Amino acid sequence: MAIRLYNTRTRSKDVFVPIDPTNIRMYVCGPTVYDDAHIGNARPVIIFDLLFRLLRHTFGDGAVTYARNITDLDDKINKRAYERGITIKELTEGTTARFHAAIDALGNLRPTVEPRATDHIEEMKALCEKLVAAGHAYVAEDHVLFSVPSMPSYGGLSKRPLDDMIAGARVDVAPYKRSEMDFVLWKPSREAHEPGWPSPCGIAQPGRPGWHIECSAMSWKHLGETFDIHGGGIDLVFPHHENEVAQTTCAFGHGVMANVWMHNGFLQVEGEKMSKSLGNFVTIQELLDGWQGKAWPGEVLRLTMLKTHYRQPIDWTVRAMEESWKTLSGWFDRTEEVDASAAAADVVTALTDDLNTPQAIAELHRLYRAKDYGALKASLNLMGFWGQAPRFVSQLDIAIDAGFRRAVDDLIAARLAARKARNFAESDRIRDELAAMGIQLKDGKDPATGEPVTTWEVMR
């Protein structure tokens, strides 16, 4: 079955034709590990995990190499480690471990290879040398800079107007740049807390790579000079991905770095851009541990993410997560004891249409209504639910941490007080609020005192 993918480079949805059907290669920009991953970071992880699964389903498990990097070398990392008084390695190792734990809980497979920037310094230096030798880069004041005017096709990926690209380049104004659009490939390390390595291109001052060259080096090392798919968030199209294209194609003399470029849309929380100043900045782990009075199972977060098409902006809301929880409870209740058959053809067809997850989820609902539970379970597996084991019910129990229990108990106490005061409207409101949280109530009387009591459990 043909897979059709929207290509940012061509601005069209085309049939995916792999360079080598026995060795499909995909690179996705991973996290910069200076802080814990937030829910927006989870979106590309989930989306490209789904694509990884679909490619394996279509071409075979061993036919796909998925590389997702760890950026453990960055000025933000240097600053954060210095501020905390710890080593860069301590910061990046701890953050990477927490990243893995968080995304594993969302049902994601580990990529085939997970390169780290600090393990690829020699490849980065080699690219700098190649670009200087080819006349696409130059040395100035202990820096190596890419010469944008040397590449007439620069801007072909983002297709941004020249003035916009110039404005973006002005973020890094420097007198040693020949053109205001030129960008850094290598820079000197002058402060004691900055990591440094012997520099390329005859530079005596130790230094470190710029951000863009890191991904070009890692993709080259693990996937080759040209590969099939490059993915990431829409915010990376310019300048990061544009600069990756420039570095790689000019270093190797090919017109194409990746045949298909895919980008997921932005995420906002409850209708607003996520930011710490607004108080709506939420990490994956915070959602798993407890947010808005509730600890959310990873599968709930995954389904909530997939209900919106990956290229569209997504509004992350508590209501959407509650709906996902209710949906999954029903699906998993019916499929827990059945054997998976084969993924439904209509689900696969939806996914092959540029990962049309809203349509795929509509088909899951249809399978549930038709009581085709074997196909439902297989289709859920394909989409990353119960990918390793049927974990959902146990996670529901684990999710009821102390904070969540206190919140439920407080609401039940308020409901009992309202009933005692014969305020039945308030009692019903609290009951409905608890139901939306996935809580099922059972009213009774204490056999010893005869006083009204209410017990509760998580709805399955």
Side-chain angles (χ1 to χ4, degrees), residues 198-444:
S199 296
C201 307
I203 300 171
Q205 174 71 35
R208 61 194 191 278
W211 173 37
H212 311 303
I213 198 74
E214 294 179 10
C215 284
S216 283
M218 288 183 278
S219 62
W220 168 40
K221 172 72 172 181
H222 296 281
L223 303 181
E225 297 174 7
T226 303
F227 50 94
D228 294 288
I229 300 169
H230 194 312
I234 192 70
D235 57 311
L236 297 181
V237 176
F238 185 87
H240 185 52
H241 288 168
E242 194 72 73
N243 291 350
E244 279 191 64
V245 171
Q247 295 160 165
T248 299
T249 58
C250 289
F252 299 112
H254 305 307
V256 174
M257 177 185 183
N259 283 341
V260 180
W261 287 81
M262 297 177 64
H263 296 93
N264 62 269
F266 289 113
L267 178 142
Q268 59 183 15
V269 176
E270 299 288 354
E272 294 184 296
K273 182 179 179 181
M274 184 169 58
S275 72
K276 292 181 179 179
S277 63
L278 292 174
N280 64 354
F281 185 92
V282 58
T283 69
I284 303 169
Q285 196 60 52
E286 284 172 338
L287 285 165
L288 295 169
D289 291 341
W291 185 66
Q292 299 288 338
K294 191 170 187 177
W296 305 91
E299 291 91 339
V300 168
L301 308 187
R302 187 179 186 90
L303 180 61
T304 304
M305 195 71 75
L306 295 179
K307 287 192 292 189
T308 300
H309 190 272
Y310 79 92
R311 286 195 285 117
Q312 300 300 314
I314 184 173
D315 187 18
W316 193 264
T317 67
V318 172
R319 176 179 289 276
M321 289 191 290
E322 289 169 343
E323 291 172 351
S324 296
W325 192 320
K326 182 178 180 180
T327 295
L328 286 170
S329 296
W331 288 348
F332 290 170
D333 183 58
R334 294 295 183 268
T335 58
E336 184 177 6
E337 302 299 330
V338 304
D339 294 326
S341 53
D346 288 340
V347 172
V348 177
T349 298
L351 296 178
T352 59
D353 182 19
D354 193 35
L355 300 182
N356 189 343
T357 52
Q359 181 60 41
I361 291 168
E363 294 299 330
L364 296 178
H365 283 291
R366 183 187 61 78
L367 293 171
Y368 176 77
R369 292 193 300 270
K371 300 183 179 181
D372 192 350
Y373 300 135
L376 174 60
K377 188 168 188 175
S379 301
L380 286 166
N381 291 345
L382 173 61
M383 294 182 65
F385 300 96
W386 289 358
Q388 299 174 0
R391 298 173 288 113
F392 187 77
V393 170
S394 61
Q395 278 204 12
L396 283 176
D397 297 328
I398 293 168
I400 306 171
D401 62 8
F404 183 56
R405 287 183 182 277
R406 283 195 299 271
V408 172
D409 288 341
D410 287 347
L411 285 170
I412 289 174
R415 178 173 174 266
L416 286 171
R419 293 181 71 188
K420 189 174 183 179
R422 304 187 66 80
N423 187 349
F424 298 115
E426 177 64 5
S427 171
D428 290 346
R429 186 198 66 77
I430 296 173
R431 179 200 61 204
D432 293 343
E433 182 178 348
L434 287 163
M437 293 169 62
I439 298 302
Q440 182 173 319
L441 302 178
K442 184 177 181 180
D443 293 319

Side-chain angles (χ1 to χ4, degrees), residues 14-49:
D14 306 312
V15 173
F16 171 62
V17 180
I19 298 170
D20 177 359
T22 67
N23 183 26
I24 296 164
R25 290 159 291 157
M26 176 172 71
Y27 184 90
V28 174
C29 290
T32 300
V33 286
Y34 73 100
D35 204 351
D36 289 345
H38 56 71
I39 191 61
N41 300 139
R43 194 173 195 192
V45 174
I46 292 172
I47 293 303
F48 292 105
D49 174 76

